[in-house]
Amino acid sequence: VVGGVAGGLWKTTNLWASPATWAYVDDFLATLAISTVAVDPLNPQVLYAGTGEAAIYNYDGQPGNGIFRSTDGGSTWTHLSSTVNPNPGNGSFNNVFKIACSPTTSGRVYAACARGFFLSTDGGATWTLTQSGFVQDVATKANGGDDDVYLYARDSGVYKSLNSGQTFSPISPPSMNRAARAVIGLSASSGDVY
């Protein structure tokens, strides 16, 4: 599944064919401004799509309206009512920059949003704000039964959680806090953060 900020969701079932064929998923989602797609690594039939692009990166940014979930490998999508913005343009999930799924617990989902970092432990039915700020990226790795979670918040830097996103501590030097946009990379072999 591929998403585009002004193009909606597309799906292929023959990615390795030459050429691969792609089908448009749905013209009638509440918004077509797809900004991130994540797959549950423990149940690849479950996918999440976040919406919205902040106008800070360009002047024609497309506002979003929450998060969508698929339980059939991306063929159909449900708008998660817990993320629907009652006042589009002013909601917590208006700009979802990145979604990450737990590598240890199916249904544990992380969302980096313009209004903060949100944690769901029930597949998106409910969400808890655990870190405020303009959170642009999130990455996670397994740590026993918990996840180590890293996030980048604009103007405040990189944070780390050792308890699956429930609490965070800053780990970056103050000089890093000035980046207007940043992404986090985790080494699969060493666990180093980039």
Side-chain angles (χ1 to χ4, degrees):
V1 174
V2 172
V5 172
L9 287 163
W10 295 78
K11 180 181 178 180
T12 183
T13 56
N14 63 349
L15 182 60
W16 305 114
S18 181
T21 55
W22 291 85
Y24 199 61
V25 173
D26 193 338
D27 278 337
F28 300 102
L29 296 175
T31 178
L32 298 179
I34 306 300
S35 55
T36 179
V37 176
V39 179
D40 183 334
L42 303 174
N43 183 357
Q45 289 297 304
V46 175
L47 293 89
Y48 299 88
T51 64
E53 175 187 41
I56 61 164
Y57 304 127
N58 56 40
Y59 291 106
D60 62 347
Q62 300 293 314
N65 191 1
I67 297 174
F68 293 83
R69 181 177 185 226
S70 174
T71 58
D72 59 9
S75 294
T76 60
W77 294 82
T78 301
H79 202 177
L80 294 176
S81 61
S82 58
T83 66
V84 173
N85 299 329
N87 301 308
N90 195 26
S92 295
F93 294 91
N94 190 57
N95 298 111
V96 182
F97 296 114
K98 181 80 175 276
I99 296 173
C101 296
S102 168
T104 63
T105 305
S106 190
R108 187 185 300 155
V109 186
Y110 307 107
C113 303
R115 301 273 170 123
F117 176 85
F118 293 86
L119 163 65
S120 176
T121 58
D122 54 14
T126 60
W127 296 85
T128 302
L129 174 68
T130 63
Q131 181 70 35
S132 60
F134 195 89
V135 181
Q136 296 176 315
D137 198 16
V138 58
T140 184
K141 67 177 183 137
N143 181 6
D146 282 327
D147 302 331
D148 287 351
V149 181
Y150 299 85
L151 65 81
Y152 174 77
R154 183 178 177 190
D155 298 327
S156 60
V158 179
Y159 291 77
K160 180 179 182 179
S161 170
L162 297 174
N163 57 7
S164 301
Q166 295 176 50
T167 59
F168 286 89
S169 299
I171 62 169
S172 60
S175 60
M176 186 184 287
N177 301 350
R178 294 188 299 266
R181 187 172 185 184
V183 294
I184 299 171
L186 294 177
S187 168
S189 60
S190 69
D192 289 344
V193 179
Y194 298 96

